Amino acid sequence: MEAKINQFFGPIVTFINGGDQLPWCSSDIVVGCEKEVADATTGASDEGKNESIMRLSWALVHSKQPRDVQRGIAMLQASLANSSSPLQHREKLYLLAVGFYRSGEYSRSRELTDQCLEIAPDWRQALSLKKAIEDRITKDGVIGIGITLITIGLIAGGIVASLVRRK
């Protein structure tokens, strides 16, 4: 019986919650990356520091904690101008797009994803993120239309009920 219920409601729950395939990052990984950055600032080369910061940025924008996502966005925006190569610039744009997606800023995320795809049109991660963004925008529109229709139905039902009482 439970299997049949899950079979019926599973797609509905996935639709409402969003079914993106982006990975999540635990707070333990974020803490580990923060420690790695702290250690890298004391004795590592600039390249080692940059790699540690990129790993921390990745962990932050993939975190389930909104404040971590915001920190990751801020770090990436501050470091975007200092990208040493087109590949690193593309990676930062992608991570920014993930951060904006996680924070619900879908139009900004789509802009950044499009910039990534201008640099690398066949990049599967960016294509996957773009599809997730478009699916989320579509889903939000469908939910908005549903709420509007329910509201109109309730108002119409109230008007009909009041007219019936008057007669």
Side-chain angles (χ1 to χ4, degrees):
M1 177 69 172
E2 186 176 326
K4 288 189 179 198
I5 291 173
N6 285 337
Q7 185 179 13
F8 177 75
F9 286 109
I12 295 170
V13 170
T14 301
F15 176 78
I16 291 171
N17 291 336
D20 68 68
Q21 300 298 318
L22 297 174
W24 291 100
C25 185
S26 72
S27 58
D28 294 340
I29 294 173
V30 171
V31 170
C33 289
E34 288 171 335
K35 184 179 180 323
E36 181 184 337
V37 168
D39 292 345
T41 57
T42 58
S45 65
D46 286 342
E47 187 176 325
K49 290 176 193 176
N50 289 337
E51 288 177 12
S52 298
I53 290 170
M54 281 299 289
R55 280 191 289 277
L56 175 58
S57 298
W58 184 95
L60 289 170
V61 298
H62 287 88
S63 173
K64 290 187 178 186
Q65 302 301 318
R67 74 177 183 282
D68 286 344
V69 174
Q70 292 306 315
R71 281 180 47 213
I73 289 171
M75 283 178 64
L76 288 161
Q77 286 176 325
S79 71
L80 194 59
N82 301 331
S83 299
S84 59
S85 70
L87 178 64
Q88 190 179 58
H89 186 73
R90 179 191 78 173
E91 291 290 330
K92 288 179 181 180
L93 286 173
Y94 174 77
L95 290 175
L96 265 173
V98 170
F100 283 118
Y101 176 80
R102 293 280 193 219
S103 63
E105 296 180 48
Y106 305 121
S107 61
R108 182 72 178 124
S109 181
R110 183 173 25 187
E111 290 171 18
L112 292 166
T113 304
D114 287 341
Q115 288 179 28
C116 290
L117 291 170
E118 286 174 12
I119 297 168
D122 297 338
W123 193 18
R124 288 186 185 174
Q125 282 180 295
L127 290 168
S128 176
L129 179 58
K130 185 172 183 170
K131 180 171 179 1
I133 294 165
E134 290 170 355
D135 290 349
R136 179 58 74 129
I137 290 170
T138 300
K139 180 196 79 146
D140 287 353
V142 169
I143 290 173
I145 290 170
I147 291 171
T148 302
L149 291 174
I150 289 170
T151 303
I152 291 170
L154 290 172
I155 291 170
I159 291 171
V160 169
S162 67
L163 290 174
V164 169
R165 280 191 214 154
R166 287 185 186 173
K167 289 185 180 185

